[in-house]
Amino acid sequence: MRESGVTFESDPGIAIAGTLCLPEDSTGASPVPALVLLGGTFGDTRDGDMDLARNPYASSAPKSGLLRRIAHALADVGVGSLRFDKRGCGESGGSAANVDAQSDLRDAIAAIHALRARPDIDPSRIGAAGHSAGASHACAIARDVPAIAAVGLLGMLYGSLEDLVRWNWGRVADHWPRLSEPQRDWLRANRKREVVGAFRGEEFIAAAARGDDRVRLEAEGVSLEFDLVGFRQGMQRFRTRSRLEQFREVRCPALILHGSDDMNVRVEDALDSYRTFRQAGNDRVDLVIVPGLDHNFQSVSADPALRAWERFTFASQGKSVSQVALKALSGWAVRVLRAKVPPL
């Protein structure tokens, strides 16, 4: 495996920095297939971790390194990858304050073009794999880049953003009576958004639906002003285009990979995505649900109370990424991208 830093231009004057990961024997004479790896809401850096520029929780959350681990697993089976810092994060240019879903998509497509320009990458065997919110960008790439070879959809949301926050914040409300006072104090100090959202979530949703840019809400002695712009834009996208319409544009092979105990996005979303892909006419879709794993493909505690607490604190992100999940993704990539697996 060989890794090197790369930079490519997205919007004029916006330089995106990333890491190219290649199998050891890749050359211009023997180009390899590759995937662009896309992080989700909590995957701001090229390795798939949070950055303070976009996430206030970055300083208190362990680093799972999900995208880095995926890149290394792919290289082991002869598939290259490009992962990058999101705009305004890490070594990438631009301002994180000015990003939205469309700028993230433009950066992702620019990464595809950067791979196509390399002599050691086969331009006919380039795909995209997105985690969480990045999975929606992978679908959009399939729409905007017709020659894309494959898309991997990891922990992808199927339902609405409203239901997503209701489910996640509702978990905090459900467990609140059973938490100790020190645990509540920790959440009040370190997870203000979740505490307020747990008890005022419907008002948050209503303010976004009204078109408000910001709203201040208070609960359990915590007052917080929410920025609603990104959430409102996401609500509108889901209303404008159904998943059936979106999936009809994905004509290439696709993988839906999900943990059975995902506490960010329900595992039922994976089942709904698979059914809708088939309904849309794509019969080259693989569905893999790995037992006992959460959103970042790490193991969950058997104790429901501990499982919830590890989710609230992001402690679960300090666990190892499942080799079963990594092998499911890399094995699929080998098959659909026709990679030549290096000998052991």
Side-chain angles (χ1 to χ4, degrees), residues 6-338:
V6 296
T7 302
F8 55 92
E9 186 176 67
S10 180
D11 290 344
I14 302 295
I16 304 299
T19 297
L20 180 72
C21 184
L22 294 175
E24 192 66 39
D25 59 353
S26 60
T27 65
S30 182
V32 297
L35 291 174
V36 167
L37 304 180
L38 308 173
T41 302
F42 296 128
D44 308 314
T45 71
R46 67 188 71 186
D47 287 346
D49 300 314
M50 300 183 201
D51 188 286
L52 276 173
R54 290 204 186 192
N55 275 296
Y57 305 143
S59 60
S60 62
K63 298 183 184 301
S64 71
L66 176 62
L67 297 188
R68 181 184 71 253
R69 296 175 191 279
I70 290 174
H72 293 177
L74 291 170
D76 287 344
V77 295
V79 179
S81 64
L82 174 58
R83 61 191 196 273
F84 57 90
D85 298 328
K86 288 184 180 178
R87 189 179 299 207
C89 297
E91 298 177 12
S92 288
S95 170
N98 298 322
V99 299
D100 57 20
Q102 289 307 308
S103 63
D104 280 345
L105 177 58
R106 292 196 298 274
D107 295 346
I109 292 176
I112 295 287
H113 294 317
L115 277 183
R116 284 184 169 174
R118 296 190 58 89
D120 45 8
I121 300 295
D122 184 341
S124 69
R125 294 187 290 161
I126 294 174
H131 177 240
S132 195
S136 290
H137 292 318
C139 287
I141 289 173
R143 175 194 68 206
D144 296 341
V145 185
I148 200 77
V151 293
L153 312 173
L154 318 181
M156 186 175 72
L157 175 68
Y158 181 90
S160 69
L161 288 184
E162 297 96 306
D163 286 345
L164 180 72
V165 299
R166 285 187 181 109
W167 189 54
N168 280 270
W169 286 345
R171 185 182 304 114
V172 180
D174 290 343
H175 282 267
W176 191 262
R178 298 187 292 277
L179 297 176
S180 67
E181 198 55 37
Q183 287 177 318
R184 293 178 186 176
D185 287 341
W186 190 93
L187 290 174
R188 291 185 185 105
N190 297 282
R191 299 291 184 265
K192 291 180 170 64
R193 184 180 178 88
E194 282 70 19
V195 171
V196 177
F199 301 100
R200 306 291 296 276
E202 291 304 323
E203 292 164 85
F204 169 90
I205 293 170
R210 284 196 306 269
D212 296 351
D213 287 343
R214 309 189 74 83
V215 64
R216 179 167 288 279
L217 300 170
E218 183 175 350
E220 291 292 326
V222 178
S223 178
L224 185 65
E225 185 173 68
F226 292 84
D227 184 339
L228 301 173
V229 175
F231 184 80
R232 189 180 68 241
Q233 290 174 345
M235 289 171 60
Q236 292 169 345
R237 285 199 308 275
F238 275 90
R239 290 196 184 104
T240 302
R241 301 182 71 248
S242 70
R243 283 297 191 194
L244 181 60
E245 292 173 307
Q246 183 182 28
F247 291 166
R248 279 188 178 130
E249 296 166 341
V250 181
R251 309 309 306 168
C252 60
L255 169 69
I256 299 168
L257 181 64
H258 220 96
S260 70
D261 291 278
D262 192 324
M263 298 183 76
N264 289 53
V265 178
R266 290 182 176 94
V267 67
E268 289 83 1
D269 283 36
L271 303 176
D272 289 337
S273 292
Y274 179 75
R275 282 192 289 264
T276 305
F277 261 113
R278 298 303 298 263
Q279 183 182 353
N282 191 336
D283 59 1
R284 295 186 293 170
V285 180
D286 289 271
L287 171 65
V288 178
I289 297 174
V290 186
L293 301 185
D294 68 2
H295 194 56
N296 276 30
F297 304 104
Q298 295 153 317
S299 62
V300 297
S301 171
D303 179 353
L306 180 57
R307 183 185 307 184
W309 183 247
E310 288 181 340
R311 169 65 183 85
F312 299 157
T313 61
F314 293 112
S316 59
Q317 293 195 16
K319 299 180 181 181
S320 298
V321 176
S322 164
Q323 288 298 313
V324 175
L326 292 174
K327 288 179 180 178
L329 174 58
S330 60
W332 167 82
V334 165
R335 176 165 54 83
V336 299
L337 297 176
R338 306 182 308 284

